[in-house]
Amino acid sequence: MTVRTILKMGDPRLLRIAQPVTEFDTDELHLLLTDLLDTMRAANGAGLAAPQIGVDLQMVVFGSGQPNPRYPQAPIVPRTVLINPVITPIGADEQLDWEGCLSVPGMRGMVPRWSQVRYTGFDVWGEPIDRTVEGFHARVVQHECDHLWGKLYPMRMRDFTQFGFTEVLFPGIDAQEND
Ligand code: NI
């Protein structure tokens, strides 16, 4: 088990456009997946992208297949590893909701996202993934894949009156690190 250090906003490695994975089912890729999952679990994250641990590759993990202790009311998202993703919005509907990020610890902001998206990509063995999702699942995949394009959620915000410290915005909630 290797829990890696999560880079924080301000680190230029979070602003890179990540490189596509060219070889699947390699020892290196399986090790990277293990590190991403271990690091995400240790932080109780809803997802984690390779650039957040300093790895310049288009690979994200998200979902747990069970309720997230920090988002107990959120729908369950299946545990997914997604490589070289492409996200296509379905329709023009947007939803606003609170997000946090393990790279922006202690804060939350109200972020607009497409309500429904189709995402395609590959798993660690190179098997194709093709899903159409909505709501929280769609939000998580948009947030994580944004890390591959050098975007952190504050860059997607339009109303900075709804941006602040978790402990102030949501007093009484156990304000651990956010994702
Ligand atoms: Ni994030």
Side-chain angles (χ1 to χ4, degrees):
M1 168 157 180
T2 309
V3 174
R4 305 270 291 260
T5 300
I6 298 175
L7 306 184
K8 292 183 187 168
M9 186 168 65
D11 191 306
R13 287 172 289 179
L14 290 170
L15 303 176
R16 294 185 292 200
I17 310 288
Q19 299 299 311
V21 170
T22 55
E23 242 193 308
F24 294 89
D25 198 22
T26 63
D27 290 349
E28 292 79 5
L29 210 57
H30 284 287
L31 274 174
L32 173 58
L33 173 57
T34 303
D35 284 3
L36 280 170
L37 290 172
D38 288 347
T39 306
M40 176 176 80
R41 266 191 230 106
N44 272 337
L48 192 67
Q52 291 181 278
I53 58 169
V55 175
D56 188 24
L57 285 174
Q58 292 182 19
M59 182 168 178
V60 302
V61 296
F62 54 86
S64 60
Q66 55 193 16
N68 184 309
R70 293 216 327 280
Y71 298 91
Q73 75 284 36
I76 293 171
V77 177
R79 170 157 297 160
T80 303
V81 51
L82 183 62
I83 296 172
N84 299 352
V86 175
I87 297 182
T88 312
I90 296 177
D93 283 356
E94 290 181 353
Q95 284 175 356
L96 270 173
D97 211 342
W98 293 101
E99 291 186 15
C101 180
L102 294 168
S103 294
V104 191
M107 305 197 78
R108 295 269 171 118
M110 193 62 107
V111 185
R113 299 284 186 189
W114 301 113
S115 302
Q116 197 181 21
V117 298
R118 177 185 178 194
Y119 66 90
T120 59
F122 301 91
D123 70 11
V124 75
W125 295 276
E127 294 297 318
I129 293 170
D130 186 341
R131 290 181 185 154
T132 298
V133 300
E134 60 187 9
F136 181 70
H137 189 159
R139 176 169 297 277
V140 168
V141 73
Q142 287 170 87
H143 175 116
E144 296 311 327
C145 292
D146 256 1
H147 281 294
L148 307 180
W149 326 129
K151 299 282 186 201
L152 298 166
Y153 78 81
M155 302 176 186
R156 298 293 191 194
M157 292 182 60
R158 297 180 193 138
D159 179 359
F160 286 94
T161 67
Q162 293 187 295
F163 184 45
F165 292 94
T166 311
E167 67 199 39
V168 179
L169 287 164
F170 304 105
I173 287 187
D174 181 20
Q176 303 176 49
E177 302 306 293
N178 302 319
D179 53 277

